[in-house]
Amino acid sequence: MNVAKADALLLVDVQCAFMEGADAVPGHLALQQSIARLLGRARQAGVAVIFLQNDGAPGSPDAPHSAGWQLYFPPVRGEHVLFKTEDDGFLETGLQTLLDELGARRLALCGMLSEMCLAATARAALQRGYNVLLPHDAHATYDVPPGPGGSPGVPAALAARAAEWSLGDEVQILPGVEAVAFSLASTTGG
């Protein structure tokens, strides 16, 4: 299997509201396993692990300090948690500064929602010159309901795939988390 290298892992909105219970994304059990493997491999390699935690609106499933707002995978010592209120994980979070300090240039992304915060963060990373890896089995979204004019709904798995496709050919879509190899960031800018 061909592997792609990353020197940092960004977990986008991997919060309890989306990962467990009746309101979890479809396929959440498989998603939990994939992200757990990816996170374990990043930790074992000693690369930067950054959690982006969404501060949802009051009353939303991810409203700050609610049960759903909590990170599904608790960070360990040395990992970073940045709070955000926008889809783009770079807006008003300090993510750019942190990545610069860490020397990270090759980012593996996982989380949700595929077409919203995950895609917005991936696009923003590309615009800033980062290499972006997206394992197919490490992001998810909800079913898209039927739309106007009788348009049919879209199953979550297809919506997630369409979100991948919408990112264009600059993002490296990988078949799964096993295709991500983590290595420490180069101090020489390579």
Side-chain angles (χ1 to χ4, degrees), residues 168-181:
D169 58 4
E170 291 181 63
V171 170
Q172 191 170 356
I173 307 297
L174 304 172
V177 298
E178 305 309 324
V180 179

Side-chain angles (χ1 to χ4, degrees), residues 76-148:
V76 299
R77 182 183 298 261
E79 295 178 347
H80 308 273
V81 179
L82 301 175
F83 302 100
K84 66 183 194 60
T85 57
E86 303 293 332
D87 287 357
D88 175 352
F90 284 86
L91 284 180
E92 300 175 10
T93 63
L95 179 57
Q96 175 78 59
T97 301
L98 177 59
L99 291 171
D100 287 347
E101 289 170 0
L102 296 168
R105 300 302 308 162
R106 300 169 292 150
L107 313 177
L109 269 65
C110 65
M112 56 231 101
L113 297 172
S114 300
E115 77 285 10
M116 295 174 123
C117 296
L118 184 90
T121 301
R123 282 188 187 94
L126 290 171
Q127 291 168 351
R128 288 166 172 79
Y130 293 96
N131 292 328
V132 177
L133 309 177
L134 181 59
H136 177 73
D137 61 351
H139 68 95
T141 192
Y142 293 101
D143 294 333
V144 178

Side-chain angles (χ1 to χ4, degrees), residues 21-41:
D23 295 325
V25 294
H28 65 281
L29 296 177
L31 181 66
Q32 290 169 7
Q33 293 174 359
S34 292
I35 294 176
R37 285 194 318 273
L38 189 65
L39 179 57
R41 293 172 70 226

Side-chain angles (χ1 to χ4, degrees), residues 4-93:
K5 293 189 179 192
D7 53 26
L9 174 62
L10 270 62
L11 296 95
V12 180
D13 302 350
V14 181
Q15 293 167 247
C16 292
F18 313 116
M19 295 290 283
E20 61 187 10
D23 295 325
V25 294
H28 65 281
L29 296 177
L31 181 66
Q32 290 169 7
Q33 293 174 359
S34 292
I35 294 176
R37 285 194 318 273
L38 189 65
L39 179 57
R41 293 172 70 226
R43 286 173 171 168
Q44 183 176 16
V47 301
V49 174
I50 303 165
F51 294 85
L52 295 173
Q53 187 170 7
N54 194 62
D55 287 342
S60 67
D62 60 350
H65 311 292
S66 67
W69 175 78
Q70 301 301 321
L71 293 171
Y72 184 78
F73 296 102
V76 299
R77 182 183 298 261
E79 295 178 347
H80 308 273
V81 179
L82 301 175
F83 302 100
K84 66 183 194 60
T85 57
E86 303 293 332
D87 287 357
D88 175 352
F90 284 86
L91 284 180
E92 300 175 10
T93 63

